[in-house]
Amino acid sequence: MIPFMESSPPSTSAEPPSLTELAARDGHRPRFHVVAPAGWLNDPNGLGQVDGRYHVFYQYNPHDAVHDRIHWGHASSADLATWTDEPVALVPGDDGPDRDGCWSGVLVDDGGTPTLVYSGHRDGRELPCVAVGSPDLRTWHPDAANPVIPATPDGMTLTGFRDHCVWREGGLWRQLIGSGVAGQGGAALLYESKDLRSWRYLGPLVVGAAPSVDPSDPLWTGTMWECVDLFRLRGVAGARADVLLFSACGDGDLHHALAWTGTYAADGFVPERLHRFDLGGREFYAPQSFRDEQGRRLVIGWVQEARPSEVSVANGWAGALSLPREVTIGPSGSLFQAPVAEIASLRGDPVGPPAQSLEPGDVVTLLSGDQLDLELAVRLERGARIDLVLRATPDGVEHTVLHLLRPPGALAEIRVVLDRSRSSLQPDVDTTERSGVVPADEDGIVSVRVLLDHSVIEVFVAGVPLTARVYPTRSDALGVALERPRTDDSAAGTASRVMVDRAVAWPMRDAWSGPRDLWPAAVDHPGPPA
Ligand code: DQQ
């Protein structure tokens, strides 16, 4: 393995470095994404906005960068761009249903009492639990009656029973629990309650059909649905859809996040269209959504590592959360995602070349760096391709390329490919391609947003995200350029035109300030400006 360190010198004391010291010196650690102080992070949990302040909780192991005896970490933000650590919210009990871990769940407002509904993990299975919080969301007490649902529904053979989506409807609480019916497919099970403590099983909201496609297919729906989430979207021109978001899992393998759009009514969900929720596959998993005080539907997912676990352990940390994204629906029923507008507040001074047409072989160098926001508007004639090169060393030995290709045929679509084959000299990181097809407009105009944060890349092409990790070994892997290949991938050949209407890059500031602590203390937040 090739060592990679950024600026901080190694510790000179005889003491081995702490997890936070190891994490702070790893050049692959994102700076404007939510990451745990150190240790392990996986799913986002308990997302919400309370009295104006945003809260994210997350699956957390403060003892090591591995998934074990999961706690709930907590961070808060006034602006969705800069974040502050909050005290650890949930710790596995000495005994009881969450002795081996406090797995994923949600935050609800129970008549003014903040309440978490989560999965207690013990002896290899999960059961629903609740915890009650102080008004400032900093102190949490698991309910003495946990688990609040003591067993899975009678007569069903399930592949799993965990993760929660809880809402008010008709004066009662409802919840979905992620599951799967053996021999059939993933499922969301529907329950109802007056008090969040005593639940009545209503039946499956929906059971996936036995997946007919190969598990390697990006639309494979899995045998167990993790992190189920149901919400309604209303768009312009009367567009409306109910969305069932879930993470497709099979035999313990985490595959990808998918979303059904369809109709929720009469205790059931009629699925109509299945969407890949992120073209990055397993590297964007376990998303959870919430509605903020502005009425926006916001989603955050877990950006998994794509390097071996022992490398994460050696660096003292693993896992990041995606940037918060707003999800909307278009008139054609497509789902659009975009980073929340607040992220732009982290931008420094913009740099960008003038609008121009690219000839075959042309290269336009952009602002270099590994902590950047980029906006592009390009026009591709049929058969034309443009490449955005990221994290490139000056000699090109390491580089990552986002290809945007407009097929030669009549279809108004763009093929998006993230080629990571040369992204790292480290042999054991995942460098497999991530790709998909996104709708384009008839003129071949494509809007692209790229948020590069060290090892995390979040790309949005025409509202479709692709999230992935890259781990260049060299500290000079900072080059960013737009390139038109010498030959286009088309019968139209070089007759096609490529126009760059707009290309702007901004360096990005850090979302965190000051040292981080594995067990954060409560810190007063400044009040709103006078
Ligand atoms: N992660 C949690 C589970 C969930 C899984 C455990 C998804 O509750 O099903 O850390 O990544």
Side-chain angles (χ1 to χ4, degrees):
M1 185 205 321
I2 294 163
F4 177 63
M5 276 191 183
E6 227 180 30
S7 44
S8 310
S11 169
T12 49
S13 75
E15 286 287 303
S18 66
L19 288 185
T20 46
E21 284 169 339
L22 286 171
R25 66 169 81 138
D26 181 12
H28 292 309
R29 191 163 153 86
R31 305 291 175 85
F32 65 92
H33 282 73
V34 171
V35 284
W40 169 272
L41 168 151
N42 62 295
D43 314 353
N45 294 152
L47 304 182
Q49 190 179 15
V50 178
D51 299 333
R53 197 161 180 91
Y54 290 97
H55 293 265
V56 301
F57 299 81
Y58 51 83
Q59 297 276 283
Y60 179 43
N61 179 6
H63 299 292
D64 205 351
V66 295
H67 185 271
D68 189 33
R69 272 200 106 226
I70 291 295
H71 300 47
W72 276 37
H74 180 193
S76 72
S77 171
D79 57 10
L80 282 179
T82 55
W83 292 90
T84 308
D85 284 311
E86 298 283 357
V88 170
L90 294 180
V91 175
D94 294 333
D95 199 2
D98 62 6
R99 187 193 64 187
D100 300 338
C102 302
W103 283 17
S104 284
V106 291
L107 167 70
V108 292
D109 175 358
D110 185 11
T113 303
T115 303
L116 303 177
V117 181
Y118 67 102
S119 293
H121 172 68
R122 179 177 177 148
D123 297 328
R125 68 173 194 153
E126 295 77 51
L127 290 170
C129 294
V130 298
V132 167
S134 56
D136 64 2
L137 278 68
R138 284 178 166 158
T139 310
W140 296 90
H141 295 289
D143 197 296
N146 284 336
V148 293
I149 300 177
T152 56
D154 286 343
M156 295 182 83
T157 308
L158 301 179
T159 55
F161 186 67
R162 61 176 173 272
D163 309 337
H164 312 266
C165 172
V166 181
W167 69 99
R168 292 287 289 175
E169 186 177 322
L172 294 171
W173 291 103
R174 287 197 148 200
Q175 78 158 310
L176 295 177
I177 298 179
S179 189
V181 177
Q184 290 188 55
L189 308 183
L190 181 62
Y191 284 79
E192 195 170 70
S193 171
K194 284 193 183 109
D195 59 3
L196 294 170
R197 305 297 189 285
S198 169
W199 292 91
R200 184 166 75 96
Y201 179 54
L202 299 180
L205 180 86
V206 60
V207 181
S212 55
V213 293
D214 188 79
S216 64
D217 189 290
L219 285 174
W220 188 64
T221 53
T223 55
M224 154 75 197
W225 291 354
E226 297 188 301
C227 304
V228 288
D229 191 3
L230 179 68
F231 54 90
R232 179 160 292 169
L233 290 178
R234 289 180 199 279
V236 291
R240 177 192 132 150
D242 295 327
V243 181
L244 182 67
L245 179 60
F246 62 97
S247 292
C249 175
D251 293 330
D253 286 340
L254 315 185
H255 282 251
H256 40 239
L258 297 172
W260 283 109
T261 44
T263 307
Y264 164 64
D267 298 344
F269 181 88
V270 180
E272 281 150 24
R273 183 167 155 194
L274 187 60
H275 309 252
R276 293 174 71 182
F277 202 68
D278 188 296
L279 305 182
R282 70 177 289 286
E283 277 152 76
F284 179 92
Y285 196 76
Q288 186 179 103
S289 83
F290 70 107
R291 190 168 183 274
D292 80 349
E293 290 170 1
Q294 296 174 43
R296 298 180 295 183
R297 178 58 55 175
L298 305 184
V299 171
I300 296 177
W302 166 34
V303 185
Q304 295 200 56
E305 297 299 325
R307 59 182 179 176
S309 170
E310 58 272 21
V311 182
S312 295
V313 169
N315 284 286
W317 74 284
L321 298 186
S322 74
L323 296 172
R325 303 168 174 183
E326 183 174 0
V327 189
T328 52
I329 185 154
S332 65
S334 299
L335 297 176
F336 290 90
Q337 297 181 54
V340 291
E342 289 92 327
I343 296 301
S345 66
L346 295 173
R347 289 170 170 172
D349 293 336
V351 178
Q356 58 198 288
S357 167
L358 296 191
E359 300 305 319
D362 280 355
V363 176
V364 180
T365 306
L366 300 170
L367 181 67
S368 64
D370 53 9
Q371 196 169 323
L372 299 173
D373 187 358
L374 286 136
E375 281 184 9
L376 307 173
V378 295
R379 259 182 295 155
L380 300 175
E381 287 190 348
R382 289 181 207 290
R385 184 179 118 193
I386 190 167
D387 295 342
L388 174 67
V389 182
L390 299 163
R391 304 274 355 223
T393 55
D395 58 8
V397 165
E398 289 187 324
H399 63 265
T400 298
V401 191
L402 179 75
H403 303 288
L404 300 172
L405 165 69
R406 186 165 180 208
L411 288 177
E413 61 181 35
I414 301 288
R415 185 163 163 72
V416 181
V417 179
L418 187 75
D419 178 353
R420 302 188 290 181
S421 58
R422 307 279 297 278
S423 62
S424 178
L425 290 172
Q426 191 174 323
D428 48 7
V429 301
D430 187 350
T431 54
T432 51
E433 177 181 296
R434 296 285 183 262
S435 64
V437 170
V438 308
D441 101 0
E442 276 302 323
D443 298 325
I445 298 174
V446 198
S447 69
V448 184
R449 178 95 179 263
V450 178
L451 291 133
L452 172 64
D453 192 3
H454 300 260
S455 59
V456 172
I457 303 179
E458 289 189 70
V459 175
F460 297 80
V461 182
V464 178
L466 188 162
T467 303
R469 305 298 293 271
V470 291
Y471 304 93
T473 61
R474 280 175 44 179
S475 55
D476 60 349
L478 299 172
V480 182
L482 278 170
E483 295 185 11
R484 179 167 181 191
R486 290 201 177 278
T487 46
D488 289 339
D489 300 357
S490 81
T494 53
S496 302
R497 288 198 341 134
V498 172
M499 277 294 302
V500 178
D501 289 339
R502 180 178 140 81
V504 191
W506 296 262
M508 292 292 273
R509 287 185 276 272
D510 290 5
W512 300 88
S513 57
R516 311 274 308 269
D517 195 320
L518 287 167
W519 296 93
V523 177
D524 282 343
H525 304 301

